Amino acid sequence: MAPRLRRRRHKKPPAVSPKVVTLATVETPRPLTSSEPGPSIDALGFFSLDKNVPGLSQLILQKLNMKSYEEYKLVVDGGTPVSGFGFRCPQEMFQKLEDTFRFCAHCRILPSGLSDSKTLRHCKRCRNVYYCGPECQRSDWPAHRKVCKDLCLVAVDRLMEWLLVTGDFVPPSGPWPWPAEVVQDWATWFSMRGSQLDAVLEAVLGSQAMNILWTSVGRPRPDPDILQGSLKRLLTDVLSRPLTIGLGLRALGIKVGRTVGNTIHVVGASHVETFLTCSGDYNELGYMFPGHLGLHVIMVGLDVATSFLQNTATSTLEPGAIQLRGHRGLYHDFWEEQVETGQVARPDMVVAFHPGFHASPTLMEAWLPTLLLLRDYEIPTLITVYSYQELTASLQTLVDLDTHILAYGANPFASLKPEQVYSNPNKQPVYCNAYYILFLGSSNQLCD
């Protein structure tokens, strides 16, 4: 049977210092039972767009030449849809993608709802939100002025990201020339990469791919400083996850480099973590721990991309290697089927990037068995969230479940790329992995 939920008590999140403590040994937890598949966080996120902008999900499908969400999900999984998905040229692709953002930020009207005399025009400053007329723009300005500057960055990053997809921008890599303990945040990482990073950025800025990109989007090419800033933000977005995993291993005092290597489970993984992801994307994690004997990262979630499942390695873990593997399903089922039977090693740490269990009862219901498992089996766990508000809500949830919170705070390896809230463009942008939470076991166990 599933681990029993202890009596829930409403507490305030504790004020803790960022340190790791050792807990006493407790009795062996009860075995788990399988459960029905839970909700897809990708599907919930997609259809939640209609709550703020009715009809937005259908507009997106229409502009992408898709008939249903199932076709959209098939492409995200790395497959080919049966309808006429695709674009005749880069210009059409960028125009169609931009069209998915066309709705009035104030009254939420879509292009299909406009009269013949009206058209949607974007803010001339940020080029990132649209209005159906001067009245809506004036009424919206008090809210928009707070985020307009950040949305200028979003508009550039959204286009520059294409260079990552095509492989024309590959972040610098290679063994760290500095001692790993010196690299504590992005400032020291950028300093460490120094001339190597400068050479990569200069090559990308002068590449034919960059020229094609800005010719295709039909906009004036921004100044080199703006483009270089965008490339750096995109780089932090790519590397934030592996370096955050390294942060967790460090903070929890987990010894990396033991005789059989180390295993990390990423739970609640979706297409965000797995689509177009390869083992090379996690090389920086390996360089963070020179001399390690192999790091095995297993992505587990209902929305793990099919292409990732097909392309990940299953060979023996070699010293110094990073091995990625995927499993589609709920983590507590994966634990019973794979970990309990000895097919997969017990994890040294579990990571949940933006689990979102605070956001809705449906997601909390799906996450509850996994959170109880991690608590009762005393698995060192790292969780990341987008914002301080999410941090507060997630802490309260974990405290109500009697988890023993070791530390929480701002993540020094948070992505520096601002993320626009798609259906609410004037909401303050958020940043991937902005805050972290570390927990281990139950707070009740300290008194046993």
Side-chain angles (χ1 to χ4, degrees):
M1 59 184 292
R4 180 174 56 86
L5 176 62
R6 293 179 173 85
R7 183 171 58 89
R8 297 181 60 175
R9 296 173 290 176
H10 184 76
K11 309 175 185 175
K12 294 182 179 180
V16 298
S17 57
K19 62 181 181 181
V20 179
V21 300
T22 303
L23 300 184
T25 303
V26 296
E27 62 183 21
T28 303
R30 297 183 176 89
L32 300 172
T33 56
S34 300
S35 61
E36 295 299 318
S40 161
I41 193 169
D42 285 354
L44 290 173
F46 185 81
F47 290 111
S48 69
L49 298 174
D50 293 334
K51 293 181 180 179
N52 283 332
V53 185
L56 182 57
S57 64
Q58 288 304 308
L59 173 67
I60 293 171
L61 294 175
Q62 175 191 347
K63 295 301 180 181
L64 297 180
N65 299 326
M66 296 178 180
K67 296 179 181 179
S68 65
Y69 171 77
E70 286 69 29
E71 286 193 21
Y72 171 85
K73 186 65 168 64
L74 188 61
V75 172
V76 169
D77 278 346
T80 303
V82 295
S83 67
F85 173 74
F87 306 100
R88 292 169 294 181
C89 60
Q91 290 88 340
E92 180 186 10
M93 178 190 69
F94 284 113
Q95 183 58 58
K96 291 284 189 180
L97 292 176
E98 185 62 28
D99 286 346
T100 65
F101 289 86
R102 290 182 183 272
F103 60 87
C104 180
H106 185 68
C107 70
R108 303 295 198 261
I109 194 170
L110 297 174
S112 58
L114 294 173
S115 63
D116 293 338
S117 61
K118 283 192 172 186
T119 184
L120 289 166
R121 300 185 184 277
H122 58 65
C123 168
K124 292 182 179 180
R125 294 179 178 85
C126 69
R127 305 177 70 96
N128 209 13
V129 299
Y130 287 82
Y131 296 101
C132 62
E135 290 184 4
C136 274
Q137 187 167 9
R138 282 195 296 268
S139 299
D140 203 53
W141 177 240
H144 182 62
R145 68 186 301 176
K146 299 175 183 177
V147 297
C148 188
K149 185 177 180 180
D150 287 340
L151 294 185
C152 290
L153 306 181
V154 173
V156 176
D157 292 350
R158 187 163 66 232
L159 298 173
M160 294 282 283
E161 203 163 14
W162 180 245
L163 298 175
L164 286 171
V165 175
T166 60
D168 292 298
F169 174 38
V170 179
S173 189
W176 288 5
W178 290 9
E181 60 270 15
V182 173
V183 184
Q184 297 289 334
D185 52 25
W186 287 123
T188 49
W189 188 92
F190 279 119
S191 296
M192 176 193 67
R193 287 299 181 191
S195 58
Q196 181 191 19
L197 175 60
D198 292 339
V200 169
L201 297 180
E202 184 178 352
V204 176
L205 291 176
S207 67
Q208 183 66 13
M210 183 70 77
N211 294 331
I212 294 173
L213 169 64
W214 289 100
T215 299
S216 300
V217 300
R219 291 186 184 181
R221 176 170 169 160
D223 293 337
D225 288 348
I226 294 175
L227 296 178
Q228 186 178 90
S230 178
L231 289 172
K232 286 185 175 181
R233 290 191 297 274
L234 293 175
L235 183 154
T236 67
D237 198 58
V238 170
L239 299 181
S240 177
R241 284 179 174 83
L243 291 181
T244 297
I245 290 176
L247 172 77
L249 292 171
R250 280 177 174 176
L252 290 165
I254 295 171
K255 295 181 179 180
V256 177
R258 61 188 190 179
T259 55
V260 293
N262 294 83
T263 298
I264 298 102
H265 293 172
V266 177
V267 300
S270 70
H271 77 276
V272 175
E273 289 82 22
T274 57
F275 185 51
L276 300 178
T277 298
C278 62
S279 58
D281 295 335
Y282 277 69
N283 283 344
E284 289 297 297
L285 173 60
Y287 300 138
M288 203 172 189
F289 300 96
H292 70 84
L293 298 179
L295 293 168
H296 192 188
V297 181
I298 304 178
M299 310 277 188
V300 183
L302 291 173
D303 296 306
V304 171
T306 300
S307 56
F308 183 83
L309 294 172
Q310 295 170 343
N311 295 330
T312 50
T314 57
S315 58
T316 303
L317 188 62
E318 299 290 337
I322 304 289
Q323 188 181 98
L324 300 186
R325 178 182 168 188
H327 178 90
R328 184 174 290 169
L330 293 170
Y331 186 67
H332 49 280
D333 292 334
F334 170 78
W335 181 278
E336 182 175 294
E337 298 162 6
Q338 303 278 334
V339 179
E340 290 283 358
T341 59
Q343 298 180 52
V344 171
R346 183 184 174 110
D348 296 286
M349 182 177 72
V350 164
V351 181
F353 294 117
H354 313 117
F357 52 72
H358 69 283
S360 73
T362 302
L363 283 175
M364 185 60 206
E365 182 179 359
W367 270 96
L368 185 59
T370 292
L371 293 174
L372 296 179
L373 182 155
L374 297 173
R375 181 197 70 184
D376 290 351
Y377 281 79
E378 295 187 86
I379 306 300
T381 302
L382 166 69
I383 291 174
T384 69
V385 295
Y386 283 109
S387 65
Y388 186 78
Q389 181 181 7
E390 288 191 15
L391 174 68
T392 303
S394 298
L395 282 170
Q396 188 61 66
T397 297
L398 294 173
V399 168
D400 286 346
L401 292 178
D402 289 322
T403 60
H404 178 50
I405 298 170
L406 302 174
Y408 61 90
N411 180 6
F413 290 112
S415 170
L416 302 180
K417 181 172 80 75
E419 299 280 350
Q420 183 180 17
V421 181
Y422 207 136
S423 61
N424 192 1
N426 284 327
K427 189 173 182 178
Q428 190 69 37
V430 296
Y431 297 83
C432 288
N433 306 317
Y435 295 88
Y436 70 90
I437 302 170
L438 296 169
F439 75 83
L440 177 62
S442 167
S443 58
N444 286 346
Q445 293 166 358
L446 295 177
C447 302
D448 288 349

